[in-house]
Amino acid sequence: HRKDLGRDGYSFFDSSMNANAQEYLQLIHDLRFAVERGELVLHYQPKFDDPAQPVVGAEALVRWNHPSRGLVLPDDFIPVAEKTGLITAIDNWVLNEACRQLKIWRDTELGADWTVAVNVSAVQFRHPQLIETVRQALDRHQLPARSLILEITETTTMRDVEESLAILQQLAKMGVKISIDDFGTGYSSLMYLRRLPANELKIDRGFVRELKQDTEDAAIVSAIVALGKALSLNVVAEGVETMSQQKLLAELGCNSLQGYLLGRPMAADDFMCAADDRLQTN
Ligand code: C2E
Ligand code: MG
Ligand code: MG
Ligand code: MG
């Protein structure tokens, strides 16, 4: 009966779509239960204001510990979660888990001033409960609002600018810090940036990857640094993998860094050990 299912010259069952479509459906099915089964884990990547100084905080990055596939990275399930609405449960779990972990760290001497950065998806950013969810997470874990950074991509904030500004203003009023992630990939106007109640611009990894002296990338980085200075925003470079990238970024005026060179995303316990080791050897 295969032929009967075929339309416009292709059969659903014969096409290579078959395996992909089935796998996709299976993924959605599995993801639906991932949160309640406790299969999500957070890894933490260190953030530095200055690579010569101790860690100032961590970015929480979600991973899915799938029973048969192993550790699945966010790019392979966050887009699916956004399309199916499962993202709300995931983002809420991430927010609470990151706050729970931060509270543990801040109760230690080493981590007393640490911050945690949480990525907010486009869907979650516009969720009517966002403000309340954030407030509750902070209250539940007895954290000051300034210890939480919400990372929102430039592209997300650029959609419906007026609505975005209203949401960001409410978050800023609460005292939560705002970081504009993947900066440089969207099309923010200077006028818009001036009104944006943000604290940080995160230069997209794409500009750091092949960063060399006197290239377009270098010009863009220094333009973003100048923009940050003019608007009193901290500028962070992400994806720093080599010493030469770090050196050039410093020359361009960017000392806030994140990347494999300084620390990979790691489990919470490893993060604490790495931060401690770093302090001992410095
Ligand atoms: P992002 O927020 O821009 O996070 C940075 C990504 O770059 C992370 O990938 C990180 O592991 C990777 N990275 C960091 N340093 C380096 C480096 O030196 N070299 C290279 N090649 N890569 C580096 P990851 O963890 O796979 O996350 C990818 C994206 O998924 C994130 O991009 C973020 O947009 C999203 N994401 C991660 N966790 C969450 C989450 O809890 N909720 C939501 N909604 N999105 C998340
Ligand atoms: Mg991020
Ligand atoms: Mg980024
Ligand atoms: Mg990204």
Side-chain angles (χ1 to χ4, degrees), residues 39-54:
E39 292 173 356
L40 297 181
V41 285
L42 289 186
H43 280 184
Y44 297 89
Q45 185 176 36
K47 288 181 89 168
F48 297 87
D49 273 348
D50 177 335
Q53 298 297 315

Side-chain angles (χ1 to χ4, degrees), residues 45 59 62-63 74 91 119 181-182 205 238-239 241 260 265:
Q45 185 176 36
E59 177 175 4
V62 73
R63 276 94 182 87
D91 274 357
N119 293 285
D181 207 348
D182 302 348
R205 186 149 50 94
E238 64 176 13
E241 294 182 352
Y260 293 169

Side-chain angles (χ1 to χ4, degrees), residues 37-95:
R37 286 180 187 154
E39 292 173 356
L40 297 181
V41 285
L42 289 186
H43 280 184
Y44 297 89
Q45 185 176 36
K47 288 181 89 168
F48 297 87
D49 273 348
D50 177 335
Q53 298 297 315
V55 176
V56 292
E59 177 175 4
L61 295 158
V62 73
R63 276 94 182 87
W64 176 13
N65 206 346
H66 189 281
S68 61
R69 291 168 194 242
L71 214 58
V72 185
L73 291 173
D75 286 338
D76 290 330
F77 67 92
I78 293 289
V80 180
E82 289 202 305
K83 280 194 202 106
T84 53
L86 294 168
I87 192 68
T88 302
I90 294 174
D91 274 357
N92 287 346
W93 179 84
V94 169
L95 179 66

